Every structure is written in structure tokens, then in C-alpha cells.
Amino acid sequence: MAFPSMKRFFDPWHVRIRNLLKVAQGRPVALVVLFGLSLLNLCSEWPSDIARPAFVDTLDETLPDSFKTARQILFDQYQRHYPRIPTAQPVTIVEIDEETLATAGQWPWPRNRLASLIDAIAALKPLAIGLDIYMPEPDQTSPDKVAGNLPETAAALAAGLRALPSHEAILARSLRAAPTILGAAALDHAAFGTRTDLRSAPIRVHGTDPLGYVQHFDYVLCSLPELQAAAHGQAMLSVALEQGVVRHIPLITGLREKLVPSLPIEMLRLATDSSAIDVFADTSGVQAVGVADVLVPTQPGGDIWLHFASIRSTLSRYVSARDVMQGIVDPERIRDKLVLVGLTGAGVTDMRTTALGELVPGIEIQAQVIETIVEGRFLRRPTWLKWAECAFIMTFGLLIIWYVPRPQSRFAVFIKAVPKGVAALGIGLHLLNLLFCFFIFMRFGLLVDAASIFIILSAVMGCFLSPALLSLGEQTRTEAAHTPGREDDNDRAGKAP
């Protein structure tokens, strides 16, 4: 004879779950689901205005990307269905493309050849020239380097070569004569050629020190000091990658104990002849980054969500470096423009995937940041929006827990009358939620997390629908087992040789 407790232990799993969900009409389980999933959602995007407890890091390690992946996919879909349509073209990209490499030679070029390109661009009067290029090592084709490799029998030739200006000196002269900015790459580890400092424009902080909130690095791969001293600015080229996709871009970055600007914001500083960049921060993080009369609202980490335009709509901004060097480019493509110089030829490794799912050159992303700032069309996900989402989820979750289990409620009567209508009603409500959030994205540029709302409220609702579905499944299996035709089939199967 089996003990009752042992019988309950060996009950099928669906029976145990059904019995658990029947306790107090499923409200305790629904409350645990509501608060548990809400906590996971909050931990996956912890608000910067509250100190991050240790258990949040533990949860992130135990359940990584619990809601983050769904949120990112949703925000990507917002952009794919409503990409930004450029209304201005403040940027021209001078691309070192396949045609340029075929004409001028393979990359990397001798520095004097790059100087010729900068001189040709500067002659057309751009507002600023940003180089998506860093040069941490001396040019081995420079006359002094070539002289050092000559045999002793060519002493006269070596002396003549050493008398010539180095390629670095030639490039430095071109950088000094034009409104140029050199790019640099941030690294979190030491490597050959890395440094711990960067010559950059002053950053004025208004309010709380934002260094603890921004993306922070200890090392930078930048150009030689001689070139840094000649250029009119240096800036970071780094972008934030999430699962290999670029979604947001830092406007300022921490390098050890100082703040340094990104290339787009530094180009705007130089173009407006401003002496410094302004950063506005409070206890919740960075609120805005400004230069001259332009103020860019940011995320607490000093970055912006970038509303991407399709590469198909921005191809007109590209000019071949070959055409610039040969003097056949329309001067209006360069005059009073912010010019970016970078590589796009085959074999270039600086290719990035955008939220639109397009693979574009890294320099295109820098151009889109500048374009977005000039147009003033920003995507925002402020801290208060996260709290608003949490309040909405908790309010409607508690309303579901209070109302749905009531036996005489209209919802209960509806379920009994039209069982299949529950699925249609749920799909309709979630579709309405998604459409409303998408409308807010299009109208106000706010990134509302409809995915978390859907996941959490669906799970809470499932706590009340699951017992009915489990009972229906058990009833179906019982009826099938006692169907006469099924018994005859079982008998025939047992008698078969």
C-alpha cells in the first residue's frame, strides 16, 4: 500500500504543476512570476540613478542576457521598419577605394602620399577633415629609414637621403596647414605601440564628474607624437558593439583619468572654432554633450542610440580619393563640408553591422553620427522611461492577478463561453501594445521596451490559463484511453504475432 505522500511524489509533472497553480486560484505563483521576472528585467538594464547591488552582478552571470537580447532585437526592428531618411548632407566621405588603390598603390601609403591627399582636400576649403586612420609607427619608406638600410658603399646616397625631410615631417606640415583631426583606437589592454594618453581638446564638466559613468579604457593606439602635435585635434574612433552589432556610439570616452571626445563631436568643435567641449552630468550620469550652440542629449554613459539611415540613401556622400587627387571632383562636394577620410577598398577589416542589418564601412557610422547631430534627430532611452515601463508592468500585472481569477468576472465568463477567444484577445492586446510603442518611436524617438512588457505580462497571464490547459490535456488523454475503437486497436496490437 503506497503512502499518500509517496503517491503525490510520483504524480505526473503536469498534475503537480496544475495543483500548484490551483493554490489560492494561482495568485501566489503569479505574484512570484511577476516580481521575479520584473527583477530580472530591471537587472538586465539597471538604472544608473541607483547604486548597483552585488546581487545584480550575480544574476547577470547566472542568467546572462535574460531580457537584453529581446530588447535589442525589438529596437532593431523599430529601425528596420522606420529607418532615418537623411534631410541634409553635411558630411562628405573621401574614400580610399579600389580605384584609388589601383592608381596610387596598395595600403598603407607612404606618409607623403597621404599628405598629398590632405593638401588636395584642404584646397577645396572644407570645414574640417577627420582621418579615420591612426599611424603609431614611423613610415619605413621615409628617406631617413631607407638611408639606414643602404650598404656602406652607398654612403653618399645615404647622406643625400638623410638631408631630405622625413615623410612624417611632410605629413605634419599638411596636417598643420589644414583643419585636421586624427583618429585613435581605444584599447583595454597594452599592446605594441599603445599609449596611456592622448592630446585632445579640453572638456568642461558641468555638474558631477562623469568619469565613473562613461566607457573607460586604459590604453590608446594613436598616431606618432609629431603628427599629434601638428593636427588640430585627436579623437576616439571606437564604437560600442553588442553581439557584433553597432547600436549606440559614445560621444565621450574615459582614458585613464581624463575624458576624450569621439571623432564626430571633435569635428563639430573644430568646425565651429570652439575651444572646448561641454559635458553636463549629474548623479545619474551624463545628460548631454555640447559644442558651441549644439546640445546633444545622451544616455547616462555619454553615448547616443543611433537612428541609422540605410546605406542606399547615403551613397551620394562618397567621393573617390583618386578623383580628389586628380582634381576632377566637383568642388561643391567638399567646400564647407565636414570631410571624413577612410578606407573602403576590398580587404579592409573595419566593416561594421548596423541595427538595420547592413554591413557598412566604419567611417559610414561616424558620418551618420555627425548627420544625426546636425539634423537634431536623436533616439532616446532616458532613465525615467525604464521606471515608467516597470510601473506599467507592475500595475497591469497586479490588475491581472486581482481580476482574472475571480469566478464571476466578465473575463471568466468570456473564457467559459469562448475558450478559443482568449488567444485572440491576448494576441490583439499585445499587438496593440507593440503598435503603440512603435508609434512613440516614430513620433518622439523614444525606445520603449515592448518586448519586456509582452514577456512578463504573458507569463503572469499564463499562470491562470495553464491549469485549464493542463486539465483539458489530461481530460483528452483520459477520453482517448477509454475510447472503444482505441481499446480494440490495443487488443489487436497485443494479439498480433
Side-chain angles (χ1 to χ4, degrees):
M1 177 178 177
F3 292 101
S5 59
M6 294 296 292
K7 180 179 183 301
R8 286 196 298 271
F9 180 80
F10 287 106
D11 278 344
W13 63 269
H14 58 83
V15 175
R16 294 201 299 273
I17 294 176
R18 185 189 63 191
N19 293 337
L20 180 63
L21 292 172
K22 282 184 176 180
V23 175
Q25 297 178 309
R27 286 191 173 101
V29 175
L31 282 170
V32 170
V33 169
L34 175 62
F35 283 96
L37 291 181
S38 296
L39 179 61
L40 282 177
N41 178 36
L42 193 63
C43 291
S44 70
E45 192 182 28
W46 191 262
S48 59
D49 55 352
I50 296 181
R52 187 180 175 93
F55 75 87
V56 173
D57 296 324
T58 303
L59 277 176
D60 276 348
E61 292 175 2
T62 307
L63 299 170
D65 298 334
S66 52
F67 282 86
K68 187 177 181 180
T69 300
R71 186 185 305 121
Q72 290 172 342
I73 292 173
L74 174 70
F75 292 165
D76 290 351
Q77 291 303 315
Y78 284 170
Q79 296 209 40
R80 293 180 187 187
H81 287 84
Y82 189 70
R84 181 176 58 85
I85 306 298
T87 58
Q89 195 175 89
V91 180
T92 294
I93 293 178
V94 175
E95 57 174 337
I96 302 174
D97 54 5
E98 286 296 307
E99 290 76 11
T100 303
L101 295 176
T103 303
Q106 66 181 16
W107 189 264
W109 285 348
R111 303 277 159 78
N112 61 331
R113 191 172 302 161
L114 182 60
S116 299
L117 174 60
I118 293 173
D119 292 341
I121 296 172
L124 300 177
K125 306 300 181 184
L127 293 176
I129 304 172
L131 279 76
D132 189 7
I133 300 166
Y134 40 89
M135 296 161 278
E137 299 176 1
D139 185 353
Q140 296 302 313
T141 66
S142 190
D144 57 325
K145 299 296 182 184
V146 174
N149 291 323
L150 292 177
E152 294 181 0
T153 54
L157 177 58
L161 288 173
R162 288 191 178 97
L164 297 174
S166 69
H167 287 176
E168 275 75 29
I170 295 172
L171 178 57
R173 186 166 58 246
S174 297
L175 292 173
R176 192 175 293 109
T180 53
I181 298 167
L182 290 175
L187 299 174
D188 55 8
H189 60 276
F192 181 77
T194 57
R195 303 175 186 273
T196 58
D197 197 11
L198 183 72
R199 291 172 54 99
S200 59
I203 292 184
R204 292 189 295 249
V205 175
H206 305 267
T208 306
D209 183 3
L211 197 59
Y213 297 94
V214 301
Q215 192 175 14
H216 191 270
F217 298 94
D218 290 327
Y219 301 94
V220 62
L221 190 63
C222 53
S223 296
L224 296 168
E226 180 182 1
L227 302 178
Q228 286 194 56
H232 295 259
Q234 339 295 320
M236 291 295 193
L237 297 170
S238 303
V239 297
L241 290 177
E242 296 174 316
Q243 298 177 336
V245 178
V246 178
R247 297 183 175 92
H248 45 96
I249 311 294
L251 295 186
I252 54 171
T253 305
L255 179 60
R256 300 227 167 199
E257 300 303 319
K258 69 181 291 186
L259 294 171
V260 293
S262 67
L263 182 59
I265 206 74
E266 177 66 0
M267 288 192 68
L268 290 172
R269 182 198 67 81
L270 186 58
T272 56
D273 198 24
S274 301
S275 60
I277 295 167
D278 295 294
V279 174
F280 300 86
D282 57 22
T283 54
S284 63
V286 181
Q287 300 301 310
V289 175
V291 57
D293 59 348
V294 177
L295 193 64
V296 184
T298 67
Q299 296 300 116
D303 57 315
I304 61 171
W305 286 85
L306 188 56
H307 193 178
F308 283 96
S310 173
I311 186 68
R312 294 186 296 274
S313 65
T314 65
L315 290 177
S316 60
R317 72 161 112 250
Y318 286 82
V319 172
S320 175
R322 180 196 61 179
D323 295 343
V324 176
M325 297 172 75
Q326 293 178 353
I328 60 174
V329 69
D330 181 0
E332 295 304 317
R333 302 287 301 275
I334 305 292
R335 184 176 294 115
D336 294 332
K337 298 282 188 179
L338 297 168
V339 176
L340 290 168
V341 180
L343 284 86
T344 62
V348 176
T349 58
D350 187 27
M351 300 294 290
R352 307 291 185 179
T353 302
T354 71
L356 301 181
E358 298 177 334
L359 191 65
V360 303
I363 199 168
E364 168 67 20
I365 295 174
Q366 306 291 344
Q368 294 217 21
V369 176
I370 298 173
E371 199 171 65
T372 296
I373 294 174
V374 171
E375 292 180 355
R377 298 166 62 187
F378 308 110
L379 294 183
R380 294 179 297 133
R381 184 161 172 76
T383 303
W384 64 260
L385 184 57
K386 183 66 179 181
W387 290 119
E389 292 167 359
C390 291
F392 179 86
I393 291 171
M394 294 302 299
T395 300
F396 276 81
L398 292 173
L399 184 63
I400 290 172
I401 293 171
W402 170 76
Y403 181 75
V404 170
R406 298 173 64 192
Q408 301 304 320
S409 66
R410 292 183 179 179
F411 186 78
V413 173
F414 175 74
I415 291 177
K416 293 177 181 178
V418 191
K420 295 183 179 180
V422 178
L425 179 63
I427 292 173
L429 290 175
H430 285 307
L431 183 60
L432 183 63
N433 163 52
L434 180 60
L435 291 175
F436 181 70
C437 293
F438 184 56
F439 170 77
I440 293 176
F441 169 81
M442 293 191 298
R443 181 67 178 82
F444 303 104
L446 290 174
L447 294 165
V448 185
D449 185 9
S452 296
I453 296 173
F454 167 78
I455 293 170
I456 297 175
L457 294 185
S458 294
V460 171
M461 194 66 190
C463 293
F464 303 115
L465 296 179
S466 296
L469 294 175
L470 289 171
S471 297
L472 180 60
E474 186 177 359
Q475 181 181 353
T476 302
R477 286 191 296 271
T478 302
E479 291 176 354
H482 291 85
T483 301
R486 178 65 57 85
E487 291 177 353
D488 293 341
D489 291 340
N490 293 339
D491 293 340
R492 285 193 293 270
K495 295 177 182 178

Short mmCIF file of all heavy atoms in Angstrom, two decimals, residues 164-187:
data_model
loop_
_atom_site.label_atom_id
_atom_site.label_comp_id
_atom_site.label_asym_id
_atom_site.label_seq_id
_atom_site.Cartn_x
_atom_site.Cartn_y
_atom_site.Cartn_z
N LEU A 164 67.00 64.97 -46.84
CA LEU A 164 65.61 65.23 -47.25
C LEU A 164 64.68 65.20 -46.03
O LEU A 164 64.97 64.52 -45.04
CB LEU A 164 65.15 64.17 -48.26
CG LEU A 164 65.90 64.14 -49.59
CD1 LEU A 164 65.43 62.95 -50.43
CD2 LEU A 164 65.68 65.44 -50.36
N PRO A 165 63.57 65.91 -46.09
CA PRO A 165 62.62 65.85 -44.97
C PRO A 165 61.99 64.47 -44.87
O PRO A 165 61.74 63.81 -45.89
CB PRO A 165 61.59 66.93 -45.32
CG PRO A 165 61.69 67.09 -46.80
CD PRO A 165 63.13 66.82 -47.15
N SER A 166 61.75 64.02 -43.67
CA SER A 166 61.10 62.73 -43.48
C SER A 166 59.65 62.82 -43.93
O SER A 166 59.06 63.90 -44.02
CB SER A 166 61.16 62.31 -42.01
OG SER A 166 60.34 63.16 -41.23
N HIS A 167 59.06 61.66 -44.19
CA HIS A 167 57.65 61.64 -44.59
C HIS A 167 56.75 62.11 -43.46
O HIS A 167 55.69 62.69 -43.71
CB HIS A 167 57.27 60.22 -45.03
CG HIS A 167 57.84 59.84 -46.35
ND1 HIS A 167 57.70 58.58 -46.89
CD2 HIS A 167 58.56 60.55 -47.26
CE1 HIS A 167 58.30 58.54 -48.07
NE2 HIS A 167 58.83 59.71 -48.31
N GLU A 168 57.16 61.86 -42.21
CA GLU A 168 56.39 62.36 -41.07
C GLU A 168 56.39 63.89 -41.06
O GLU A 168 55.36 64.53 -40.78
CB GLU A 168 56.96 61.84 -39.75
CG GLU A 168 56.45 60.47 -39.34
CD GLU A 168 57.09 59.36 -40.16
OE1 GLU A 168 58.24 59.54 -40.60
OE2 GLU A 168 56.45 58.31 -40.35
N ALA A 169 57.55 64.49 -41.38
CA ALA A 169 57.63 65.95 -41.40
C ALA A 169 56.75 66.54 -42.51
O ALA A 169 56.09 67.57 -42.33
CB ALA A 169 59.09 66.39 -41.60
N ILE A 170 56.72 65.85 -43.66
CA ILE A 170 55.87 66.32 -44.76
C ILE A 170 54.40 66.22 -44.38
O ILE A 170 53.62 67.16 -44.60
CB ILE A 170 56.17 65.49 -46.03
CG1 ILE A 170 57.60 65.74 -46.51
CG2 ILE A 170 55.18 65.83 -47.14
CD1 ILE A 170 58.03 64.83 -47.64
N LEU A 171 54.00 65.09 -43.78
CA LEU A 171 52.61 64.91 -43.38
C LEU A 171 52.26 65.90 -42.27
O LEU A 171 51.15 66.47 -42.26
CB LEU A 171 52.37 63.47 -42.92
CG LEU A 171 50.97 63.14 -42.42
CD1 LEU A 171 49.93 63.46 -43.49
CD2 LEU A 171 50.87 61.68 -42.00
N ALA A 172 53.17 66.12 -41.33
CA ALA A 172 52.90 67.06 -40.24
C ALA A 172 52.65 68.46 -40.79
O ALA A 172 51.77 69.19 -40.29
CB ALA A 172 54.07 67.07 -39.25
N ARG A 173 53.39 68.85 -41.81
CA ARG A 173 53.19 70.17 -42.41
C ARG A 173 51.79 70.27 -43.02
O ARG A 173 51.11 71.30 -42.89
CB ARG A 173 54.27 70.42 -43.47
CG ARG A 173 54.23 71.81 -44.06
CD ARG A 173 55.49 72.15 -44.84
NE ARG A 173 55.74 71.20 -45.93
CZ ARG A 173 56.77 70.38 -45.97
NH1 ARG A 173 57.68 70.38 -44.99
NH2 ARG A 173 56.94 69.55 -46.99
N SER A 174 51.33 69.21 -43.66
CA SER A 174 50.00 69.22 -44.26
C SER A 174 48.92 69.22 -43.18
O SER A 174 47.89 69.91 -43.31
CB SER A 174 49.82 67.99 -45.17
OG SER A 174 50.73 68.04 -46.26
N LEU A 175 49.13 68.45 -42.12
CA LEU A 175 48.16 68.42 -41.03
C LEU A 175 48.03 69.77 -40.35
O LEU A 175 46.95 70.20 -39.95
CB LEU A 175 48.58 67.36 -39.99
CG LEU A 175 48.51 65.89 -40.43
CD1 LEU A 175 49.12 65.00 -39.35
CD2 LEU A 175 47.09 65.47 -40.72
N ARG A 176 49.16 70.46 -40.22
CA ARG A 176 49.17 71.77 -39.56
C ARG A 176 48.48 72.83 -40.42
O ARG A 176 47.81 73.73 -39.89
CB ARG A 176 50.61 72.18 -39.26
CG ARG A 176 50.75 73.37 -38.33
CD ARG A 176 52.22 73.64 -37.99
NE ARG A 176 52.77 72.54 -37.18
CZ ARG A 176 53.66 71.67 -37.63
NH1 ARG A 176 54.10 71.73 -38.90
NH2 ARG A 176 54.13 70.72 -36.85
N ALA A 177 48.60 72.72 -41.72
CA ALA A 177 48.05 73.73 -42.63
C ALA A 177 46.55 73.58 -42.85
O ALA A 177 45.90 74.53 -43.29
CB ALA A 177 48.78 73.66 -43.97
N ALA A 178 45.98 72.43 -42.55
CA ALA A 178 44.56 72.17 -42.78
C ALA A 178 43.84 71.92 -41.45
O ALA A 178 44.47 71.56 -40.46
CB ALA A 178 44.41 70.96 -43.71
N PRO A 179 42.52 72.09 -41.42
CA PRO A 179 41.76 71.83 -40.18
C PRO A 179 41.58 70.32 -39.98
O PRO A 179 40.51 69.76 -40.25
CB PRO A 179 40.44 72.54 -40.43
CG PRO A 179 40.27 72.52 -41.93
CD PRO A 179 41.66 72.61 -42.49
N THR A 180 42.59 69.65 -39.49
CA THR A 180 42.61 68.19 -39.45
C THR A 180 42.45 67.64 -38.04
O THR A 180 42.85 68.26 -37.06
CB THR A 180 43.93 67.66 -40.04
OG1 THR A 180 45.02 68.29 -39.38
CG2 THR A 180 44.01 67.93 -41.53
N ILE A 181 41.88 66.43 -37.99
CA ILE A 181 41.73 65.69 -36.74
C ILE A 181 42.18 64.26 -36.99
O ILE A 181 41.79 63.64 -37.99
CB ILE A 181 40.26 65.67 -36.27
CG1 ILE A 181 39.77 67.09 -35.99
CG2 ILE A 181 40.09 64.80 -35.03
CD1 ILE A 181 38.27 67.19 -35.83
N LEU A 182 43.01 63.75 -36.10
CA LEU A 182 43.49 62.37 -36.21
C LEU A 182 42.66 61.45 -35.33
O LEU A 182 42.30 61.81 -34.20
CB LEU A 182 44.96 62.28 -35.80
CG LEU A 182 45.98 62.92 -36.75
CD1 LEU A 182 47.37 62.86 -36.13
CD2 LEU A 182 45.96 62.23 -38.10
N GLY A 183 42.38 60.28 -35.84
CA GLY A 183 41.63 59.28 -35.07
C GLY A 183 42.57 58.43 -34.24
O GLY A 183 43.77 58.33 -34.49
N ALA A 184 42.00 57.79 -33.22
CA ALA A 184 42.75 56.89 -32.35
C ALA A 184 41.81 55.77 -31.91
O ALA A 184 40.59 55.95 -31.84
CB ALA A 184 43.31 57.64 -31.14
N ALA A 185 42.39 54.63 -31.60
CA ALA A 185 41.60 53.47 -31.20
C ALA A 185 41.83 53.18 -29.72
O ALA A 185 42.97 53.07 -29.27
CB ALA A 185 41.98 52.24 -32.03
N ALA A 186 40.74 53.07 -28.96
CA ALA A 186 40.83 52.78 -27.53
C ALA A 186 40.99 51.28 -27.31
O ALA A 186 40.34 50.47 -27.98
CB ALA A 186 39.58 53.28 -26.82
N LEU A 187 41.86 50.90 -26.37
CA LEU A 187 42.10 49.50 -26.04
C LEU A 187 42.06 49.33 -24.52
O LEU A 187 42.42 50.24 -23.77
CB LEU A 187 43.46 49.04 -26.57
CG LEU A 187 43.68 49.09 -28.09
CD1 LEU A 187 45.12 48.73 -28.41
CD2 LEU A 187 42.72 48.15 -28.80
#
